[in-house]
Amino acid sequence: MNSGILFLSLLGFLPFVTPTCPSPCKCATNIIDCMSKGLTVTKLPAAFRPSAEIINLSYNRLTSIPSGLFDNLQSLQAVHLQGNPWECNCDILYLRSWLQWQQNRTFYRDVRCASPAHLQGRVIAYLTEDEISSTCQYWYCTLAFFSQVVLIVLLFLQAVLVIFIIIYLQRFRRMTAEARSTTRDLYQQQADTWSLQER
């Protein structure tokens, strides 16, 4: 009787210990099969169960992999990635870095760029950072433009601040001069009063 209660309590506790299979994938013990599910980057599961050893993401519509998606999967042995239209731009940097850390890099020979045209067919794991960065010029141009705008705004604010300080210093000097003049006049008046009293 006690063993039956313990078994039922364990069954009730399991859903909290073991993450459910991410939709629309199919899962076995340590295998997550998401092949040919029409997955895009936005429809990709946000996380996979930590015990996953094999993940199949092949033949979907993935153009990149979200940064950090595979980082905490300590048991992960292989990810099937072929058959996706990978866009080898700035967004592919995480996947390229992850692939380069894999010992069985030859397993990923079929993970190739679908675009841009000058990188089409290239194995992602063997791309250089310069090759990928060359596709990110629009991002650098936007950043450069934004930096220039910020610099101009900062220079304008600095000029306004300098003008304000100059005006304040001029007023301070004028007020100081007036205070000194007033002090001299009062001192002179007191001195004249004392001299008249002495007479």
Side-chain angles (χ1 to χ4, degrees), residues 34-37 55-60 80-84:
C34 305
M35 184 177 75
S36 301
K37 300 296 181 183
I55 299 174
N56 192 346
L57 296 174
S58 58
Y59 301 102
N60 284 287
H80 296 271
L81 297 164
Q82 68 273 14
N84 285 288

Side-chain angles (χ1 to χ4, degrees), residues 7-191:
F7 178 74
L8 290 174
S9 64
L10 284 174
L11 283 178
F13 185 68
L14 277 175
F16 297 96
V17 176
T18 306
T20 57
C21 186
S23 177
C25 306
K26 297 177 182 179
C27 299
T29 307
N30 295 317
I31 300 173
I32 300 175
D33 184 8
C34 305
M35 184 177 75
S36 301
K37 300 296 181 183
L39 293 176
T40 61
V41 178
T42 55
K43 294 180 180 178
L44 197 63
F48 295 104
R49 61 176 66 180
S51 61
E53 295 180 1
I54 298 174
I55 299 174
N56 192 346
L57 296 174
S58 58
Y59 301 102
N60 284 287
R61 291 183 290 162
L62 298 173
T63 56
S64 64
I65 294 293
S67 182
L69 184 63
F70 303 141
D71 289 354
N72 296 321
L73 305 178
Q74 303 299 328
S75 302
L76 190 61
Q77 297 176 9
V79 181
H80 296 271
L81 297 164
Q82 68 273 14
N84 285 288
W86 302 110
E87 293 181 3
C88 294
N89 54 28
C90 290
D91 295 331
I92 210 71
L93 285 170
Y94 169 73
L95 178 59
R96 167 190 164 271
S97 177
W98 184 83
L99 290 171
Q100 289 186 335
W101 277 97
Q102 303 311 301
Q103 294 180 352
N104 55 340
R105 200 183 299 181
T106 55
F107 178 78
Y108 300 99
R109 287 177 302 182
D110 294 330
V111 184
R112 298 172 180 266
C113 302
S115 63
H118 70 283
L119 294 178
Q120 190 172 10
R122 293 285 304 280
V123 178
I124 294 176
Y126 299 117
L127 290 176
T128 65
E129 194 164 335
D130 289 340
E131 286 177 314
I132 298 174
S133 297
S134 67
T135 67
C136 307
Q137 294 302 321
Y138 68 93
W139 182 79
Y140 289 121
C141 290
T142 303
L143 179 62
F145 175 74
F146 179 74
S147 300
Q148 287 179 350
V149 170
V150 171
L151 181 61
I152 291 171
V153 170
L154 289 175
L155 288 173
F156 175 76
L157 292 175
Q158 187 177 16
V160 170
L161 183 62
V162 169
I163 292 171
F164 176 78
I165 292 173
I166 292 172
I167 293 173
Y168 176 79
L169 287 175
Q170 288 178 346
R171 287 186 178 180
F172 180 76
R173 287 177 181 174
R174 188 163 51 248
M175 291 172 63
T176 303
E178 291 175 356
R180 286 178 180 173
S181 177
T182 303
T183 303
R184 281 198 301 268
D185 291 343
L186 289 174
Y187 180 78
Q188 187 63 42
Q189 288 178 2
Q190 288 180 352

